[in-house]
Amino acid sequence: MVSNDFSSDIPTKMSTKIVIAGGFGAGKTTLVGSVSEIPAVTTEAVMTEASVGHDDTSATPQKVTTTVAMDFGRITVDQQLIMYMFGTPGQNRFWFMWDDLVRGAVGAVVIVDCRRLADSFEAVDYFETNRRIPYVVALNRFDGQMDYTAEQIREALEVSTSVPIVEFDARDRSSSGTVLKTLLRYALSTNAAAAPVG
């Protein structure tokens, strides 16, 4: 007779949700696309004249599309853990979606374009205010350079001293992976990670 109990043979898979947030053009879609093991789902739309006066592309003149809903990607961390990434839209006019996107998340990455620190204030403030969701700050190195130190940016953005800040290149899979590992370690080490969200 064959036993129907296969539970000991099949490893239990768990999934977790993280949010990739930040200002307009900071590198959220790029990060999701660089690490996702599936083709990233994006809601990129061509920027039109309606964005003139709303979206500052002076630091990113080559940017011709923008996320209008969310980005989605998946990465298998190990045999037991699958991580689902949800990238938020960066413009203020789409921020009404943030509460829904962060519901159930174990943590968030706030991507900062150091050339445009002011664009990051509201994203950082969102997670500083919503203390139930642990977050890390990821400084995207555009053109491979940083104009400020991590501590200068921490002070400028008024980020709590307990929040990890990491430099990375959103185009590089390994570099982006380091950001996600930093977030997971931080989320596991905080009491906030154990509290239900949403």
Side-chain angles (χ1 to χ4, degrees):
M1 183 171 190
V2 178
S3 169
N4 290 328
D5 181 14
F6 298 107
S7 59
S8 60
D9 300 327
I10 302 172
T12 303
K13 286 231 183 226
M14 295 185 345
S15 62
T16 189
K17 172 183 178 181
I18 66 164
V19 172
I20 311 298
F24 170 73
K28 300 176 296 296
T29 300
T30 303
L31 182 149
V32 172
S34 73
V35 296
S36 181
E37 65 194 15
I38 62 171
V41 176
T42 66
T43 56
E44 290 281 290
V46 174
M47 295 173 63
T48 66
E49 290 181 8
S51 69
V52 175
H54 297 286
D55 302 328
D56 180 9
T57 59
S58 59
T60 55
Q62 72 283 2
K63 185 170 179 60
V64 295
T65 62
T66 187
T67 300
V68 295
M70 68 174 187
D71 301 313
F72 175 78
R74 183 188 76 197
I75 183 169
T76 301
V77 177
D78 56 32
Q79 290 185 349
Q80 282 79 40
L81 181 62
I82 297 174
M83 187 162 51
Y84 295 103
M85 299 169 286
F86 290 81
T88 66
Q91 299 96 319
N92 297 7
R93 62 186 179 277
F94 296 124
W95 281 19
F96 66 90
M97 293 185 270
W98 279 41
D99 288 339
D100 288 331
L101 285 174
V102 302
R103 188 171 294 119
V106 298
V109 173
V110 176
I111 300 180
V112 172
D113 178 350
C114 299
R115 302 168 302 177
R116 299 176 292 135
L117 289 181
D119 291 356
S120 305
F121 289 151
E122 290 173 311
V124 168
D125 187 58
Y126 180 90
F127 292 101
E128 278 288 314
T129 303
N130 190 351
R131 297 301 298 167
R132 296 174 299 164
I133 303 171
Y135 77 99
V136 300
V137 172
L139 309 177
N140 194 2
R141 287 192 303 265
F142 283 87
D143 301 321
Q145 59 186 15
M146 294 285 296
D147 295 331
Y148 306 97
T149 67
E151 287 312 307
Q152 286 173 323
I153 292 169
R154 182 186 300 280
E155 184 176 343
L157 297 178
E158 298 181 354
V159 175
S160 300
T161 56
S162 62
V163 173
I165 295 182
V166 59
E167 296 179 22
F168 84 117
D169 182 338
R171 301 166 299 179
D172 183 77
R173 180 180 176 85
S174 175
S175 186
S176 294
T178 298
V179 171
L180 300 180
K181 289 176 194 173
T182 300
L183 172 63
L184 287 178
R185 283 193 295 267
Y186 180 61
L188 287 171
S189 71
T190 63
N191 292 332
V197 176

